[in-house]
Structure formats: structure tokens, C-alpha cells
Amino acid sequence: MNFNCCKTKKSKQDLKRTVGFLKVIAEENRLKILCILRKQEMCVCEIWQHLGLPQNLASHHLKVLKDLGLVEHRKESTKVLYSVNQKVINKYSSLLSGFIINI
Amino acid sequence: MNFNCCKTKKSKQDLKRTVGFLKVIAEENRLKILCILRKQEMCVCEIWQHLGLPQNLASHHLKVLKDLGLVEHRKESTKVLYSVNQKVINKYSSLLSGFIINI
DNA sequence: GTATAATATCAATATAGATTGATATTTGTG
DNA sequence: CACAAATATCAATCTATATTGATATTATAC
């Protein structure tokens, strides 16, 4: 029997990276942020107002998302505009599929 | 602008259910369990021995997975054999895709 | 340079959840 | 019925992380 998912070095690493991704998106506010950023680029003040979060909390969650590369940002005067990095999301998403979807 | 992901009653509910799913699978041991159960049905003692977990911890994680319907079990004398419920996993998986995958 | 708006950071606290140790339950065997 | 094997449950503890409040930073406008 070959338990590929937790024996080889590569599969162990993939599992850890997948869990890292899941922990980041397994939070209501962060999943909401990803969801609204899919529609359009947004500055932080739009995000926290839209979600009804305190500014610093929104900022914190954005940092968590950014640290994993799920979102990116650009500055425009005093505002910071965030957007999703769909490529990275797709990469993690297919990594996840490998663990939970049957071939 | 239509932020479907967090405005309508249905989308709010979908988001919560998706986060619930993610929280359950965003744990290394549980994702491993799902992974090895994909290959074959297994009793608890095989699972905890295979993963190097204390028996009660494996039992706990199995309960978390079972409470969401991701795994099911049947009894065979003193043993309890667990297996994945791929239908439920697929259902949650496609729910998740709706939030993170672009159409 | 001062004031203001937007954002980020940091320490402290609160909360959720993983892990452990002990014990209960269930089923089969002598 | 006593005993053992397999599993589940429960309370306690530990750990990770979400949240809050206060403050720092950055860019712009006056």
C-alpha cells in the first residue's frame, strides 16, 4: 500500500503547504475579502467599511493574505489598493484538489 | 456593484458553510486522515498507528471529520472502520470553488 | 511646517481549538 | 461473569490566532 500523501518528502511538503493555505482562508473575514476583491481592486478603507471591521483588523487580515501571496497591492497616493493574485490562488487550489478530490 | 459573496442570505450561508468546511480540513492530521482514507477503509487503530498519533487524538479528529459528514464509519465487531464520503467532500469542494476560483 | 487621511504595527487580551491523561463504553472471548 | 481489545468521551492544559486599543508611518494639502 502506498500512502503517498504522508510518506514521501514531496508529499509531506505539499501537505504542509496545503494546510498553510487552508489556515489562511479558513477565516470568515479573509474569505470575504478574497471574495470581494475578485470583483474589483479595493483600498483598505473600502474593505473595512464594506465588511464592518475595525481598520486595523482589516489591515491585519490583508497582511495574512498578502504574506501567502493570495493578494497583492499597489499604492496610489495615501491609499493602498489590494487585488487578488488569482494565479497563486489557483496554484494552491489545485494543490488542495490533489488531497481531497478523487481522480 | 454586486458583492454577492456577503450580501444575500444565501451567499452568507454558503460562506459560513464553506468556512466551516475549511476549518475542519485546515489541520494537518485531519487532512492526512482524509488522504489515507481515500485509498482504503481503515479502522481507528490502523489510523493512529499509521499517523503516529495517540489513540484518543485520532478518535477526536475522526469525530470532527464525521460531524461534518466528510467521513463515515461502520462497525465490525470491536473495530470501527472509517471511510471518506466523497460526495460530501465534493459538495463542499465545489462550494469553496465558488468563492476562490474565477469563472 | 502643521494638520489630516489612510494604512500599518505592536502589545495586550480574548477565544478557539489541539493535545494530553484518565476513564467510560462496547464487543468479543475464556 | 471476568478480562481484554478497540474506541469514545471528558476535563484540564497548552497553543495558536483573532481581536482590541494605542500608536507609528506615509503621503497629501494647507
Side-chain angles (χ1 to χ4, degrees):
Chain A
M1 253 140 274
N2 174 26
F3 299 118
N4 203 44
C5 52
C6 43
K7 287 286 183 191
T8 74
K9 177 171 290 188
K10 163 126 181 59
S11 65
K12 276 182 192 172
Q13 192 179 319
D14 281 353
L15 187 120
K16 280 186 192 301
R17 295 204 313 139
T18 302
V19 169
F21 168 63
L22 289 170
K23 282 187 188 298
V24 166
I25 66 170
E27 206 282 327
E28 191 168 335
N29 291 318
R30 288 197 288 264
L31 194 56
K32 276 186 189 169
I33 290 174
L34 284 182
C35 189
I36 64 174
L37 289 183
R38 282 172 60 191
K39 321 255 174 161
Q40 63 179 308
E41 193 181 44
M42 261 194 193
C43 71
V44 182
C45 64
E46 286 176 306
I47 294 168
W48 69 259
Q49 284 169 32
H50 188 72
L51 299 186
L53 296 180
Q55 176 272 321
N56 56 352
L57 184 54
S59 201
H60 162 72
H61 285 312
L62 283 165
K63 177 171 164 47
V64 175
L65 290 167
K66 188 165 65 65
D67 285 348
L68 203 69
L70 304 184
V71 301
E72 35 194 16
H73 67 274
R74 65 186 183 88
K75 302 196 81 171
E76 196 168 85
S77 86
T78 63
K79 296 191 177 181
V80 178
L81 298 169
Y82 280 86
S83 56
V84 301
N85 186 333
Q86 194 63 45
K87 273 194 180 178
V88 174
I89 292 179
N90 291 346
K91 191 194 62 178
Y92 279 112
S93 183
S94 68
L95 201 55
L96 170 62
S97 294
F99 286 98
I100 63 172
I101 302 294
N102 267 335
I103 311 142
Chain B
M1 253 141 272
N2 175 26
F3 299 118
N4 203 44
C5 52
C6 44
K7 287 286 182 190
T8 73
K9 177 170 290 187
K10 163 128 180 57
S11 64
K12 278 182 192 172
Q13 193 179 317
D14 281 353
L15 188 121
K16 280 186 193 300
R17 294 204 313 138
T18 302
V19 170
F21 168 64
L22 289 170
K23 283 187 188 296
V24 166
I25 65 170
E27 206 281 327
E28 192 168 335
N29 291 318
R30 287 197 289 265
L31 194 56
K32 276 186 189 168
I33 290 173
L34 283 182
C35 189
I36 64 174
L37 288 183
R38 282 172 61 193
K39 320 255 172 163
Q40 63 180 308
E41 193 181 43
M42 263 195 193
C43 69
V44 182
C45 65
E46 286 175 307
I47 293 168
W48 69 259
Q49 284 170 32
H50 189 70
L51 299 186
L53 296 179
Q55 177 270 321
N56 55 352
L57 183 55
S59 201
H60 163 70
H61 286 312
L62 284 165
K63 176 172 165 44
V64 175
L65 290 167
K66 187 165 64 67
D67 284 349
L68 203 70
L70 304 184
V71 302
E72 35 194 17
H73 67 274
R74 66 186 182 88
K75 303 196 80 171
E76 197 168 84
S77 86
T78 63
K79 297 193 176 179
V80 178
L81 297 169
Y82 280 86
S83 55
V84 301
N85 187 332
Q86 194 63 44
K87 272 195 180 179
V88 174
I89 292 179
N90 290 345
K91 191 193 63 178
Y92 279 112
S93 184
S94 68
L95 202 55
L96 170 62
S97 293
F99 285 98
I100 62 171
I101 302 294
N102 267 335
I103 311 143

